[in-house]
Amino acid sequence: MICKQLGLCIEDKNKACRTETDCIEFTDKRTSVKCEEKRKKYCLNNDRGARIRKYHVDNGIVKNEREQWACDNLLAVYDGDQTGMIFVELKGTDFKHAVEQTYETIVRFLPELKHKKLYGRIVHTQGVPRLGNSGPIVDLERLLRKNGGNLKMHEWILNEDVSRLDEKRDTKKRE
């Protein structure tokens, strides 16, 4: 099942989901948001006091779908009049698959994300990937730039502030 209410859910930032998919973990203004899986971690510091909604994508928005790739989490950041959508994938060694999963997830929901800034965040264990100019990464970066965002990749842990989402940062090793 793929949730057909995501667009409405994102627009209605103050209300709970109307479906029974268990895709929303929380909606509030907490100071720090973490997405974690097997020692890989994405941390978003809410230094602007934005309202943030954390969605489970794999086994949440996209549930029990064979042959359907989905990233792990989606963070909707409601910062003033701007809404940023951060697609988070936490992956072990198959970095190329992480890029493809993130791309496929964004493309699947793109019609429901009009007028939103789109960001991709991939946290992996592979080390600095040597796929810099490969087709999948170029395609993902192009898609995100076209929608006002960017792609950041990091090994093991990625920490960033809401106020710095638009800053480009190079791939780095564990801090």
Side-chain angles (χ1 to χ4, degrees):
M1 178 188 86
I2 298 175
C3 180
K4 305 245 186 287
Q5 301 294 318
L6 182 61
L8 293 172
C9 187
I10 290 168
E11 291 303 322
D12 196 359
K13 63 184 173 188
N14 294 312
K15 298 206 175 161
C17 182
R18 293 178 185 89
T19 65
E20 299 295 322
T21 61
D22 297 321
C23 58
I24 297 174
E25 185 173 322
F26 64 80
T27 305
D28 59 28
K29 294 184 177 186
R30 63 186 63 189
T31 57
S32 181
V33 176
K34 291 183 174 108
C35 302
E36 296 181 80
E37 180 180 283
K38 297 178 184 172
R39 296 186 0 231
K40 294 170 295 298
K41 190 184 309 184
Y42 173 75
C43 301
L44 182 64
N45 302 309
N46 191 3
D47 62 333
R48 296 176 60 110
R51 178 175 294 281
I52 299 174
R53 179 173 285 170
K54 181 179 178 185
Y55 293 90
H56 295 284
V57 180
D58 196 12
N59 289 318
I61 296 170
V62 178
K63 198 177 251 185
N64 301 323
E65 289 291 317
R66 292 181 184 209
E67 306 299 321
Q68 294 288 321
W69 290 350
C71 66
D72 295 309
N73 297 105
L74 172 61
L75 302 177
V77 180
Y78 304 100
D79 190 17
D81 293 338
Q82 185 67 47
T83 302
M85 307 302 295
I86 306 170
F87 292 84
V88 179
E89 176 59 26
L90 306 167
K91 188 59 89 182
T93 58
D94 195 349
F95 181 78
K96 183 179 178 191
H97 185 62
V99 172
E100 292 167 342
Q101 272 183 282
T102 305
Y103 181 84
E104 293 297 324
T105 305
I106 294 169
V107 167
R108 179 182 304 121
F109 294 110
L110 197 56
E112 300 179 36
L113 301 173
K114 291 182 174 147
H115 311 295
K116 309 285 184 274
K117 281 186 154 188
L118 306 182
Y119 302 92
R121 301 298 184 256
I122 298 173
V123 181
H124 55 92
T125 62
Q126 183 174 320
V128 179
R130 301 201 182 277
L131 301 171
N133 291 325
S134 73
I137 290 178
V138 170
D139 291 344
L140 179 56
E141 286 180 324
R142 187 176 296 134
L143 176 64
L144 294 169
R145 273 194 316 271
K146 182 179 177 185
N147 289 281
N150 58 39
L151 174 64
K152 293 181 184 175
M153 303 168 283
H154 208 281
E155 188 177 350
W156 290 104
I157 298 170
L158 174 55
N159 290 300
E160 72 179 328
D161 299 330
V162 169
S163 63
R164 299 177 142 208
L165 285 171
D166 291 317
E167 291 181 10
K168 181 67 177 151
R169 186 165 122 190
D170 292 318
T171 308
K172 290 170 45 177
K173 291 193 176 204
R174 189 177 192 165
E175 296 175 335

